[in-house]
Amino acid sequence: DGGITQSPKYLFRKEGQNVTLSCEQNLNHDAMYWYRQDPGQGLRLIYYSQIVNDFQKGDIAEGYSVSREKKESFPLTVTSAQKNPTAFYLCASTKGLGQGTYEQYFGPGTRLTVT
Amino acid sequence: QKEVEQNSGPLSVPEGAIASLNCTYSDRGSQSFFWYRQYSGKSPELIMSIYSNGDKEDGRFTAQLNKASQYVSLLIRDSQPSDSATYLCAVKLDRETSYDKVIFGPGTSLSVIP
């Protein structure tokens, strides 16, 4: 079955440590996205990538970094520079720019707690 | 004005009733609209897409779109306790952007009372 996987499901880190969240998809989608969701709030875009080896900042990129070395993979690193990293992180994908469809499909999410 | 607005709720309906969820958007040229369901602690799941004015039905779900009023709604007929979740409205912006920008509303919490 095609889909998006994220790991780990839960992650606990000490303040000051960098942490990397994994996102893998086998939908053959070109575009991938990282969102952050805080309790009672909507989704906020962190980074997006339309194609391999290219990615752009979203609305709240400060303190985060990404890479897109393979079409299937879009890992997110939460750095120590991120002031409030505790949140629910969601990875999503779409077919891609110019494909005519915009439905986003989400992975199961990673819940990060930093103390 | 926020780009996508929804009543936060909670919206409570009795089992078997019709639940009506509303969403307004600011980008007049938007053409693509989506409803996602998000259970507590889980990720959003796409339940409906709508692109044309009018109604689109899928089982117990009906999406309604009125572009002139910049309004999209989701009706859930014969509501079940399993429909209790947060419903996110999402809109693909029409203005030119470097990517297919989809804006999500804050979501409406629905509670179906047995």
Side-chain angles (χ1 to χ4, degrees):
Chain A
D1 286 337
I4 302 176
T5 58
Q6 291 185 244
S7 61
K9 187 174 181 180
Y10 298 98
L11 190 54
F12 298 88
R13 280 294 182 268
K14 295 288 188 186
E15 200 172 302
Q17 292 179 332
N18 292 354
V19 61
T20 297
L21 282 56
S22 169
C23 177
E24 304 276 334
Q25 55 98 359
N26 62 2
L27 298 167
N28 199 33
H29 284 175
D30 286 326
M32 297 185 74
Y33 308 81
W34 273 105
Y35 291 93
R36 167 182 174 141
Q37 188 176 38
D38 294 282
Q41 297 192 32
L43 304 177
R44 292 187 288 169
L45 182 67
I46 305 172
Y47 266 96
Y48 65 94
S49 169
Q50 294 288 345
I51 198 168
V52 175
N53 293 321
D54 183 65
F55 49 83
Q56 304 295 330
K57 292 180 179 180
D59 300 320
I60 56 163
E62 186 175 349
Y64 300 97
S65 65
V66 294
S67 62
R68 186 87 187 274
E69 297 176 2
K70 298 187 300 182
K71 185 175 184 177
E72 301 79 17
S73 179
F74 191 39
L76 173 74
T77 296
V78 184
T79 75
S80 57
Q82 168 49 231
K83 295 282 188 274
N84 297 296
T86 295
F88 188 39
Y89 289 87
L90 289 159
C91 179
S93 71
T94 61
K95 284 189 175 180
L97 196 63
Q99 304 256 8
T101 63
Y102 312 105
E103 288 88 353
Q104 296 203 2
Y105 295 92
F106 287 85
T110 292
R111 194 166 298 278
L112 173 65
T113 302
V114 177
T115 58
Chain B
Q1 181 186 8
K2 293 183 179 177
E3 291 179 296
V4 179
E5 298 197 60
Q6 298 179 252
N7 291 329
S8 61
L11 173 66
S12 293
V13 299
E15 185 175 353
I18 296 175
S20 178
L21 305 162
N22 303 318
C23 172
T24 58
Y25 60 94
S26 61
D27 183 1
R28 181 169 292 278
S30 292
Q31 302 291 325
S32 305
F33 308 86
F34 312 93
W35 283 100
Y36 289 81
R37 177 176 61 200
Q38 186 175 24
Y39 291 115
S40 180
K42 303 295 186 182
S43 61
E45 171 194 10
L46 179 67
I47 53 174
M48 292 282 284
S49 306
I50 186 166
Y51 303 95
S52 303
N53 276 332
D55 295 358
K56 179 182 178 183
E57 189 174 317
D58 184 0
R60 294 186 297 109
F61 298 97
T62 298
Q64 299 176 317
L65 176 61
N66 184 326
K67 292 181 183 177
S69 299
Q70 295 175 240
Y71 175 93
V72 58
S73 65
L74 180 70
L75 301 179
I76 306 174
R77 291 184 301 281
D78 188 24
S79 295
Q80 301 297 309
S82 59
D83 295 325
S84 297
T86 296
Y87 289 81
L88 306 177
C89 172
V91 178
K92 158 71 170 65
L93 296 186
D94 180 59
R95 63 175 181 265
E96 191 172 329
T97 59
S98 59
Y99 70 105
D100 292 331
K101 187 166 186 175
V102 175
I103 301 295
F104 288 82
T108 297
S109 175
L110 173 66
S111 179
V112 181
I113 311 300

